[in-house]
Amino acid sequence: MDTMSVTISEETYTCYPYKKYEENILKNFDNNINPNLVSYLKDFVTEQKYKDNETKLYFIKNSKNEIIMFFSLRCGQLFKDNTIKEENIELFNKLKLTMIDLNSNNEDIQQKANSKLSKIELEIGQKDNLNVFYELCELAELEISDEQISKKEGTILVQQTFSAIEIVVLCKNTSVVTEKNIGVNIFWQFIAKIVLDISKQVGCQYLYLFASDSDEDKKLIQYYSNKLLFREIQNNPNCLKTLKSYWSNSCYTLYQEISDLKDMYVTKFEKENIDSKKQMLKENKRLKEENQRLKEEIKRLKLSNKNVSNSITE
C-alpha cells in the first residue's frame, strides 16, 4: 500500500507504511494513557523490526507533518476446539484421567480404571444423562489421542481454524491529538480500508485485537464495542478462541467478522460517496441548464441590440 490521504473536519491526514529508518520520527510522540505502547513503538523502530516483516507498522500524519497515531497489523488465526460446557468440565477431567489409566500397561491400574469408569457410568445413568457420559468419553478419547499426536508432530489439534487479521497496536499521540473522535475516524478511514483490501486478495473471516483496559467500567472496551463494532470473544456464540502471548495475557480479546466490517464501511463511506456523486451530477445538470439559459439570454440580447441598431439607422 502507498500513502492514503483523507480530509476530516478541514484537516488532512496521511497514512503510510513504515519502510525505512527515519531519524527523529518519534520526537514528541507520547501516550499518557498507556506508555508501554510508546515503548513498543520505540523498540520496533530502533531495532528495525519492520525489516523482518513480522508486523506491518503504519503512521498517520497531519498537515503539519506531526505523527498523530500509529497502528500495526499482522496475520493471525482464530479457532474452535472441542468445547465442553462449564458444568461438565469436572466430569470430563475425571473421565480423561480414568481413560488414560485404561491405556496403562499395568493390569492393576487398568482394572481399577475400568471399575471406576463403570461406577461413573452408573451414577450418570441414574441421572438420565448417559448421552452426556458417552459424548464426554468420546471427547476425552479424542483429546488423549490429539495430545499424543501433538507431542510427536509439534502441533495443536483443534476442531476448526479461521483466517484472521490482528491489530497488534493502535495508539494515538496524546501530546498532539486533541480531537475526541480522531481514533474512530482513523479506524474507519484507514484501518478498515486496508483490512478490506487485504480480504479481497486472501481469505479472511475475522479482525481481532487485545485491549488493555484496567478501568472498572471497562471504558476502552465500551469504546471498541460502540464505535468500532468489536465484541468480547469470551462466551461468543461460535465458541471462538485465539492464542495469546504473555505480553497480552492481561488484555481483553475483542473480535468482529470481516463481513460486518464491510457492511458498516459501505454504510459509512461508500453510501456517502454515492450520495456525493448523485449530488455532483445534480449540480452539474443545474450548471449545464444555467449555462444554456445564459447562452440563450446572450443570443436574445444580441438580437435585441441588432434590432435597436437597425431602428436607429432607419
Side-chain angles (χ1 to χ4, degrees), residues 91-275:
L91 175 59
F92 172 79
N93 291 332
K94 191 188 290 185
L95 285 169
K96 184 181 171 183
L97 289 172
T98 305
M99 295 182 80
I100 289 172
D101 287 345
L102 272 176
N103 295 321
S104 171
N105 294 324
N106 188 305
E107 288 187 14
D108 288 339
I109 293 175
Q110 282 183 358
Q111 287 176 4
K112 285 179 182 177
N114 201 28
S115 175
K116 190 175 181 181
L117 193 63
S118 299
K119 188 179 177 182
I120 295 171
E121 183 179 6
L122 184 63
E123 288 174 359
I124 298 298
Q126 288 172 350
K127 297 176 184 177
D128 296 324
N129 282 336
L130 277 178
N131 286 339
V132 173
F133 172 79
Y134 295 134
E135 184 183 325
L136 291 178
C137 282
E138 189 177 344
L139 287 175
E141 202 169 342
L142 278 172
E143 191 162 302
I144 293 166
S145 174
D146 290 350
E147 286 172 359
Q148 289 171 347
I149 294 170
S150 298
K151 263 185 179 179
K152 285 181 181 178
E153 298 181 357
T155 59
I156 298 173
L157 296 177
V158 295
Q159 186 178 337
Q160 194 174 359
T161 59
F162 305 92
S163 54
I165 293 173
E166 178 188 352
I167 300 177
V168 184
V169 177
L170 177 58
C171 177
K172 69 180 179 181
N173 186 355
T174 54
S175 66
V176 173
V177 176
T178 55
E179 299 93 328
K180 192 174 182 181
N181 289 319
I182 188 63
V184 177
N185 289 320
I186 293 301
F187 176 83
W188 289 109
Q189 294 278 8
F190 293 120
I191 300 176
K193 186 178 187 312
I194 293 170
V195 169
L196 291 174
D197 285 346
I198 293 171
S199 69
K200 290 176 186 177
Q201 305 299 321
V202 296
C204 187
Q205 292 174 270
Y206 293 97
L207 177 67
Y208 70 98
L209 57 84
F210 301 113
S212 177
D213 190 353
S214 56
D215 187 84
E216 287 184 8
D217 297 326
K218 296 166 75 171
K219 289 180 182 177
L220 182 62
I221 304 303
Q222 289 180 32
Y223 167 83
Y224 278 123
S225 300
N226 298 333
K227 304 289 186 181
L228 309 184
L229 297 186
F230 284 94
R231 51 191 184 273
E232 288 189 61
I233 204 167
Q234 186 179 9
N235 300 323
N236 71 85
N238 297 321
C239 302
L240 296 171
K241 294 182 179 181
T242 187
L243 299 175
K244 187 184 283 190
S245 68
Y246 288 115
W247 189 72
S248 54
N249 189 41
S250 60
C251 299
Y252 294 90
T253 306
L254 306 176
Y255 80 106
Q256 64 174 288
E257 293 184 36
I258 296 292
S259 57
D260 292 339
L261 184 77
K262 182 180 179 182
D263 289 344
M264 181 54 73
Y265 184 83
V266 169
T267 302
K268 286 179 79 68
F269 297 110
E270 293 193 7
K271 186 177 181 298
E272 287 180 13
N273 291 338
I274 290 169
D275 291 343

Side-chain angles (χ1 to χ4, degrees), residues 22 45 55 82 107 126 188 265 267 297 313:
E22 296 177 44
V45 171
T55 302
N82 296 315
E107 288 187 14
Q126 288 172 350
W188 289 109
Y265 184 83
T267 302
E297 181 66 17
T313 304

